[in-house]
Amino acid sequence: HLLVKYAFRLKDQDETIGVRLYPMEVSSPAEIFDTEHIDVSDESAISGEAPASVRYGGLPPFLAAAGAKGLEKAAKDRLADELATKVFYDALTKTQSKAGESREDFARRLSSDGGGAKAARLNEKLEKKKLDLKRASEDLEGRSQEKQAAMFKGALEVGASVLSSFFGGRRANPISTIKKGASAMGGVTSKNRMEDNAEARVEALKQEIAGIEAEIAEAAEIDPARFEEKTLAPAKTATKLLRYDIVWVF
C-alpha cells in the first residue's frame, strides 16, 4: 500500500491532517488513487519492521520505471481531488460544518454556539443597538426636562406680560404683550417637537432590538433537516503532502 500523510484546509476552517493507505495492485502510479483507501487513525501503530512470522510481498512492477518520484507526482496531482469531503451548510445561520463533522454533531455545535456565525453577528448588532437606545433614552430625558423648563419659563413670561398690561399705565402695550406670549409659546412648541422626535427614535430602536432578538432566537433553534449537503475539495494551494511511504498491510 502507498501511505499518504496529508494536510488540507477548507475556506474559513482549521487545517485537517490525516493518513491514508492506497492499494498498489495497479498498473501505474496514477491508478493508485482510483482504489478504495483505508483511513489510518493512529499513525504510530505503523511499525518499522514486520513480525518474524510475516513475509514481505513483492513490489508492483511499475515502480521499476516510475520510482519514488512517480509516486510523489501522482500523489500531488491527485491529492486535492481525493480529499473532497462532504460538508453541511446551514443557510439560516450562514455556517458550514467542519470536515468530517456529522449532521448531528454540527447541529449540537450550532446549538451550543447559540446559532453560529449569524447569531454572533446579530448579538454584536444587538449590543450596538442597546447602546444606541441608552443614548436615545438619555436624550429623550434631556428633551423632556428642557420642555418642562421652557413651559415654566414661558408661563412666567406670559404672566409677567399680563401683569405689565394691567399695571403699566399708559406705557402698557397690548400688542407687545401678545407678541411676548406668542414668543414664549413658540419656544415651548419647538421643545415639544424635539421631544417627540427623540421619543420616536427611542420607540424605533426598541422595535429594532425586538426584531434582532427574535432573529437570534430563531437562529438558536437548530433543525438538522434544514442543512444542505455539499461536497467540497480543497484547492491545490491549500493541500500539502506531508509524507509518503510504502507499507505492507497484514
Side-chain angles (χ1 to χ4, degrees):
H1 286 64
L2 175 65
L3 178 148
V4 175
K5 184 175 183 178
Y6 59 84
F8 72 93
R9 188 187 300 275
L10 295 176
K11 185 179 179 182
D12 299 327
Q13 293 196 14
D14 295 333
E15 187 174 62
T16 297
I17 299 175
V19 178
R20 290 180 176 181
L21 301 178
Y22 289 88
M24 296 178 65
E25 296 175 353
V26 292
S27 302
S28 68
E31 294 176 66
I32 293 174
F33 294 94
D34 295 328
T35 61
E36 291 293 325
H37 69 268
I38 302 170
D39 286 308
V40 178
S41 58
D42 183 8
E43 186 182 359
S44 65
I46 299 173
S47 174
E49 294 185 5
S53 59
V54 175
R55 296 177 59 188
Y56 287 98
L59 293 171
F62 66 77
L63 276 180
K69 288 295 182 183
L71 295 177
E72 182 179 3
K73 182 179 184 305
K76 289 182 176 179
D77 288 344
R78 296 286 302 276
L79 194 53
D81 290 336
E82 275 294 302
L83 295 174
T85 184
K86 180 176 69 176
V87 297
F88 298 102
Y89 178 73
D90 182 28
L92 183 61
T93 62
K94 294 181 172 55
T95 308
Q96 182 176 286
S97 70
K98 298 177 181 178
E101 190 173 30
S102 70
R103 187 184 293 267
E104 293 72 23
D105 288 343
F106 181 38
R108 278 192 287 271
R109 180 165 64 84
L110 281 181
S111 181
S112 65
D113 288 346
K118 181 181 179 181
R121 290 192 294 272
L122 286 171
N123 276 301
E124 184 177 345
K125 183 178 179 181
L126 179 63
E127 291 306 311
K128 290 180 180 178
K129 290 296 179 183
K130 284 182 175 180
L131 182 59
D132 289 342
L133 177 60
K134 180 183 176 183
R135 291 170 178 166
S137 298
E138 290 172 351
D139 180 57
L140 174 58
E141 185 179 352
R143 297 297 181 188
S144 297
Q145 291 175 354
E146 286 179 6
K147 188 185 79 169
Q148 294 298 325
M151 290 177 66
F152 181 71
K153 181 181 178 183
L156 288 177
E157 289 180 356
V158 171
S161 298
V162 170
L163 288 174
S164 176
S165 67
F166 277 108
F167 300 107
R170 293 181 180 180
R171 287 182 290 181
N173 188 340
I175 300 300
S176 176
T177 300
I178 293 170
K179 285 182 178 179
K180 287 180 180 179
S183 175
M185 293 310 296
V188 173
T189 301
S190 175
K191 297 296 183 184
N192 195 52
R193 185 169 56 251
M194 287 189 286
E195 182 188 32
D196 289 344
N197 291 338
E199 188 173 359
R201 171 65 174 160
V202 167
E203 289 304 314
L205 283 168
K206 285 180 178 179
Q207 291 180 15
E208 283 188 71
I209 288 171
I212 295 170
E213 288 175 338
E215 286 188 76
I216 292 172
E218 184 182 10
E221 294 177 4
I222 309 301
D223 178 11
R226 78 188 185 208
F227 299 157
E228 301 172 33
E229 190 174 314
K230 296 182 178 182
T231 300
L232 299 179
K236 282 193 174 183
T237 53
T239 306
K240 293 181 284 188
L241 177 62
L242 303 178
R243 173 191 173 189
Y244 66 99
D245 272 313
I246 296 175
V247 301
W248 280 259
V249 178
F250 63 95

